[in-house]
Structures are given as structure tokens and as C-alpha cells.
Amino acid sequence: MKTILLAEDQQIVRQGLKMMIEHRQRYQVIEAENGQEAVDLAGRHVIDLVLMDVRMPVMTGIEATKRMIERDPNVKIVMLTTFIDERYAIEALKAGAKGYILKDADMESLFATIEKALLGELVLDGQVAAKVMPKLLQHSAPQEKEQIPPLAEREREIIRLVGQGRNNAEIAAELYLSVGTVKNYISQLFIKLGVRDRTQLAIFAVKHHI
């Protein structure tokens, strides 16, 4: 059973989500009503995934995400919000979040997001992605456009597909490779490009027009 930390300041929303998630009997949910409480709980429990609201009292979800990532770079956090706002999404991704989805997503989409995020994959709501990607290009700092290491065509293909939000199985099917081979390529690209995770690799793909 996986443990999910659900940080949401609206009690009705929080309890409703908890009930629906735990109904699957594959997850147990720990509740937090603000970012500070989420940070504290994450420090006391073994958490598999955090579903984090963006706007909360005491401490925002963005700030809580930054603090959790600083303490444990491997923590998996997905922002769950009502706001289709590229500013929040970009801040969340830069802070280290693994995804950004909307609260009005249907339950099947939510569970698909949870499963992908648990595997370390980047998950963006389609409406959010459509806004985030152009903004990432517009706000790329000059130093982020410096010459990049030489990349083989296969490496570029994999980076491009990660940038599109594809998971390892989808990339493998697209390129007629094994999932293990795709994982190896991605691990090597992390080292080669100096990126920490799939989120940063996806951002790299967009910023460098790959």
C-alpha cells in the first residue's frame, strides 16, 4: 500500500479526495491543511507521493514543495489545483514538482497521474501544458540557451518525447526499443546534461527546441 500526503486547505475537498483515493484500497492518505503542516508531516512519515494544493494559508504549496525538495530531492510531488495559470505551473516545476493537474480532472485521470508520478514521470494537465511550454520558451534566460553537449539522434528523440510528457513505455513503443533501454538512455542523459530528473529534462527539451 502506498502512502499519499494530501495537502489541501478546504476540508470538504480534502476529505472527498481522501475518500475516493482510499476507496481503491491501494493507497492510504495522510491529510494536511496547509503547506507548513505538509512539510512537518513529510518529515515524520515515509511518503510515496504528495498531492499539493497551490494556494494554502500559513505556507503555499510552492514554498512547501521547495522545502520538501531541499530536504529530499527524490520526493514526488504533484500540484493539484483549480488554477490554469502558467506562472504557478512554471514555479512548481522549477521547485521540483513532478506534475501539475487540475482538481476538476476525472478520477481515472487522477489515478493515472498518481501511478505515473509514483514512477517518477512528469505529468502535466493538457490545458496547463499548452500554456506552460510557450512560456518556458519566452522566459528562457540567456545562459540557459548556451551551447549544449553533442547529442546523438536517438538521444534527441528520447529528450523530445520526454518533453511531450511520454512515459518510458510510450517512448519504447514509439522508438521500437525496450523499456530498459529507454531507462538507460534517460539515466545517461541526466548525467550528460546535468539535470536532476524527468521534469528538468522535459524543460530542457522545450528550452532548447528539441
Side-chain angles (χ1 to χ4, degrees), residues 102-115:
L102 302 179
K103 290 180 183 177
D104 62 2
D106 60 69
M107 289 309 297
E108 290 306 315
S109 295
L110 175 59
F111 284 116
T113 293
I114 289 172
E115 290 300 317

Side-chain angles (χ1 to χ4, degrees), residues 44-120:
R44 299 200 302 268
H45 298 271
V46 177
I47 304 295
D48 295 294
L49 178 71
V50 182
L51 290 177
M52 181 84 75
D53 191 12
V54 172
R55 286 186 177 179
M56 291 183 289
V58 185
M59 181 186 293
T60 68
I62 302 293
E63 181 59 32
T65 296
K66 290 177 182 177
R67 297 198 183 189
M68 288 185 186
I69 295 292
E70 286 173 0
R71 185 166 59 196
D72 178 9
N74 296 315
V75 65
K76 299 176 177 65
I77 302 173
V78 172
M79 311 307 289
L80 183 62
T81 179
T82 57
F83 302 102
I84 308 176
D85 190 317
E86 63 272 16
R87 292 171 301 171
Y88 290 133
I90 290 171
E91 285 183 35
L93 293 174
K94 287 183 175 179
K98 299 294 183 188
Y100 194 100
I101 62 170
L102 302 179
K103 290 180 183 177
D104 62 2
D106 60 69
M107 289 309 297
E108 290 306 315
S109 295
L110 175 59
F111 284 116
T113 293
I114 289 172
E115 290 300 317
K116 288 182 178 181
L118 285 169
L119 294 173

